[in-house]
Amino acid sequence: MGRLFGTDGVRGRANAELTPELALSVARAAASVLADRDGTSRPVAVVGRDPRASGEMLEAAVVAGLTSAGAEVLRVGVLPTPAVAHLTGRTDADLGVMLSASHNPMPDNGIKLFSRGGHKLPDAVEAAIERRVMGGDEGEPCVDHRPTGGGIGRVRDLAGAVEDYTTHVLSALREPLRDLRVVVDCAHGAAYRCAPEVYRRAGAQVHVIGGEPDGWNINDGIGSTHLGPLIDAVARHGADIGIAHDGDADRCLAVTAQGDVVDGDAILAICALALHESGNLTDDTVVATVMSNLGFHHTMRAAGISVQTTAVGDRYVLEALRSRGLSLGGEQSGHLVFLDWATTGDGLLTGLALMSRMSATGASLAELASVVQRLPQTLVNVPVTDRLAVAESDEVARAVNAVEAELGDSGRVLLRPSGTEQLVRVMVEAPTQEEADAVATRLAEVVAATG
């Protein structure tokens, strides 16, 4: 078995790579590593899931693993990932477990873990859990204490979990939505109950698509990775905005009344400008990843907002926010983190913040999004035999330096070796699509020849 944890928990095809046996082992190990109480009380775990069919099977396995380690389980059922994070913090639980494969298709599933307070796990803690699952440092099975009799954990459903999270999200609302007409696409996922309720109670007129999960249809041609149905529904209902969530509702993308897609860069810029204007953007700094479009950086610079850049992945955005005590960060994919209100990306908080800005300014989403003038972008995946050798190549470095000098402040280049495949990703932004394509092709040829 390779490394267990990916960039966002343990993920794989349910009942193939991600088996009930593995889920039980991960849950037991997580309880052992994360439950650091003094022994006078039971460890407590919050467990939630998205609606995919395999979640029922994996939930049973996770609950078995936790209770066999002596943990008390608070089961919350189908709720968004950020709801599980919030409830982990609110109940002072030792850990939270979310069963979801996010935007992945239905056959996949995943295990996302949170520590006390609802925080994502640092690498060292993931490594400790992984060592226990895999058999310890010497490859020998770990001998864990197995309570018996009254020491075995118990399970109960956490009453009022949906209302608790709904109230929490609404507490962040800055401006009532004043009958804003919104179509929300819930991806037949974890937000199918929460999102429509939150937006209605915030004052919007809400139409719902993707709100009838049956266990099999999550993310199936719908949601934040399939925006066609949302674009059609916005036109059909004459809506002011469309909001798209993914399967576990930790991300949000948007569609204008005219059917244009508003990505995470533009949403992050709109929210950053709103917080900056109200004096609530800590250190006048926002966190974004290396994949954010150069147009976003230009917009922030013009507004007097600094940008701290991280590697791709919302966990790295979170690390930067927490290390500097900043208030806002996000990704092009629509993961936005409002650290004053949440410990992880929250699609519902993002949707509320975006629509609240529309109500406060009276501007349409298209007008708000126009502050970011996206530069044309080309991404080429170049197969290589040794991606690390490409990263260290002087020839590649010279080619990149020459292109950067040629583009100046009007474009940029990013070369990223894949973390899992023998590929190097060549990304170029330039004033025109033709120039971006040409430059990317030139660099891809150099990379291919070197790798």
Side-chain angles (χ1 to χ4, degrees), residues 103 185 209 219-231 244 253:
H103 60 281
D185 181 351
I209 64 172
N219 301 319
D220 187 7
I222 204 160
S224 63
T225 52
H226 303 89
L227 293 173
L230 180 60
I231 292 170
L253 294 179

Side-chain angles (χ1 to χ4, degrees), residues 68-90:
S68 75
E72 176 160 346
V73 174
L74 303 177
R75 192 167 49 192
V76 301
V78 174
L79 275 178
T81 290
V84 173
H86 163 70
L87 292 166
T88 300
R90 193 194 63 73

Side-chain angles (χ1 to χ4, degrees), residues 80-83 86 165 168-169 199 245 249-252 334-338 341-352:
T81 290
H86 163 70
Y165 172 64
H168 163 69
V169 172
Y199 299 148
H245 296 302
D250 63 354
R251 72 170 71 181
C252 168
H335 283 110
L336 265 68
V337 182
F338 296 83
W341 298 98
T343 57
T344 187
D346 191 322
L348 274 67
L349 277 174
T350 303
L352 273 187

Side-chain angles (χ1 to χ4, degrees), residues 290-295 332 374-382 396 399-408 410-416 424-445 447:
V290 293
M291 289 304 292
S292 288
N293 192 275
L294 187 58
Q332 202 173 65
R374 289 181 56 83
L375 271 71
Q377 184 183 92
T378 299
L379 178 65
V380 181
N381 292 323
V382 185
V396 170
V400 169
N401 290 338
V403 168
E404 288 178 338
E406 175 186 326
L407 291 173
S410 65
R412 69 179 181 126
V413 174
L414 178 66
L415 265 62
R416 293 175 52 234
V424 173
R425 309 189 196 284
V426 178
M427 190 272 284
V428 175
E429 292 170 353
T432 67
Q433 190 64 58
E434 292 76 13
E435 188 173 357
D437 291 344
V439 170
T441 298
R442 279 163 44 200
L443 286 178
E445 290 171 351
V447 168

